[in-house]
CSV table of all heavy atoms in Angstrom, one decimal:
chain,number,residue,atom,x,y,z
A,53,ASP,N,79.4,-24.5,79.7
A,53,ASP,CA,78.0,-24.1,79.4
A,53,ASP,C,77.0,-24.7,80.4
A,53,ASP,O,75.8,-24.6,80.2
A,53,ASP,CB,77.7,-24.6,78.0
A,53,ASP,CG,78.6,-23.9,76.9
A,53,ASP,OD1,78.9,-22.7,77.1
A,53,ASP,OD2,78.9,-24.6,75.9
A,67,PRO,N,83.5,-22.5,115.4
A,67,PRO,CA,84.6,-22.1,114.4
A,67,PRO,C,85.3,-23.2,113.7
A,67,PRO,O,85.6,-23.0,112.5
A,67,PRO,CB,85.6,-21.3,115.3
A,67,PRO,CG,84.7,-20.8,116.5
A,67,PRO,CD,83.7,-21.9,116.7
A,75,PRO,N,83.3,-16.6,97.8
A,75,PRO,CA,82.4,-17.3,96.9
A,75,PRO,C,83.0,-18.4,96.1
A,75,PRO,O,84.2,-18.2,95.6
A,75,PRO,CB,81.8,-16.2,96.0
A,75,PRO,CG,82.0,-15.0,96.8
A,75,PRO,CD,83.3,-15.2,97.5
A,76,ILE,N,82.4,-19.5,95.9
A,76,ILE,CA,82.9,-20.6,95.1
A,76,ILE,C,81.9,-20.9,94.0
A,76,ILE,O,80.7,-21.0,94.2
A,76,ILE,CB,83.0,-21.9,96.0
A,76,ILE,CG1,84.0,-21.6,97.1
A,76,ILE,CG2,83.5,-23.1,95.1
A,76,ILE,CD1,84.0,-22.7,98.2
A,96,GLY,N,88.0,-30.6,105.1
A,96,GLY,CA,89.0,-31.7,105.3
A,96,GLY,C,88.5,-32.6,106.4
A,96,GLY,O,89.3,-33.2,107.1
A,133,LEU,N,74.4,-19.6,101.2
A,133,LEU,CA,73.8,-20.8,101.7
A,133,LEU,C,74.3,-21.0,103.2
A,133,LEU,O,75.5,-21.0,103.4
A,133,LEU,CB,74.2,-22.0,100.9
A,133,LEU,CG,73.5,-22.3,99.6
A,133,LEU,CD1,74.1,-23.5,98.9
A,133,LEU,CD2,72.0,-22.5,99.8
A,139,LEU,N,70.1,-33.4,111.0
A,139,LEU,CA,69.6,-34.2,112.2
A,139,LEU,C,68.8,-35.4,111.7
A,139,LEU,O,68.0,-35.2,110.7
A,139,LEU,CB,68.7,-33.3,113.1
A,139,LEU,CG,69.5,-32.1,113.7
A,139,LEU,CD1,68.5,-31.3,114.5
A,139,LEU,CD2,70.6,-32.6,114.6
A,159,SER,N,54.1,-30.0,129.9
A,159,SER,CA,55.3,-30.6,130.4
A,159,SER,C,55.8,-29.8,131.6
A,159,SER,O,55.7,-28.5,131.6
A,159,SER,CB,56.4,-30.5,129.3
A,159,SER,OG,57.6,-30.9,129.8
A,201,LEU,N,51.6,-26.0,138.2
A,201,LEU,CA,51.6,-24.8,139.1
A,201,LEU,C,53.0,-24.8,139.8
A,201,LEU,O,53.7,-25.8,139.8
A,201,LEU,CB,50.5,-24.8,140.0
A,201,LEU,CG,49.1,-24.7,139.4
A,201,LEU,CD1,48.0,-25.0,140.5
A,201,LEU,CD2,48.9,-23.4,138.8
A,235,SER,N,41.6,-27.9,145.4
A,235,SER,CA,40.5,-27.0,145.4
A,235,SER,C,39.7,-27.1,144.1
A,235,SER,O,40.2,-27.7,143.1
A,235,SER,CB,41.1,-25.5,145.4
A,235,SER,OG,41.9,-25.3,144.4
A,333,GLY,N,36.7,-16.5,115.8
A,333,GLY,CA,37.7,-16.1,114.8
A,333,GLY,C,38.6,-15.0,115.4
A,333,GLY,O,39.7,-14.7,114.7
A,364,SER,N,60.0,-13.4,118.0
A,364,SER,CA,59.6,-12.7,116.8
A,364,SER,C,58.4,-11.8,117.1
A,364,SER,O,58.0,-11.0,116.2
A,364,SER,CB,59.2,-13.7,115.7
A,364,SER,OG,58.1,-14.5,116.1
A,368,ALA,N,50.8,-17.4,116.2
A,368,ALA,CA,50.4,-18.5,115.3
A,368,ALA,C,49.1,-19.1,115.8
A,368,ALA,O,48.9,-19.4,116.9
A,368,ALA,CB,51.4,-19.5,115.1
A,369,THR,N,48.1,-19.3,114.8
A,369,THR,CA,46.9,-19.9,115.2
A,369,THR,C,46.5,-21.0,114.2
A,369,THR,O,46.8,-20.9,113.0
A,369,THR,CB,45.7,-18.9,115.2
A,369,THR,OG1,45.7,-18.2,113.9
A,369,THR,CG2,45.9,-17.9,116.3
Side-chain angles (χ1 to χ4, degrees):
D53 300 326
I76 302 171
L133 284 178
L139 300 178
S159 178
L201 296 171
S235 61
S364 64
T369 52

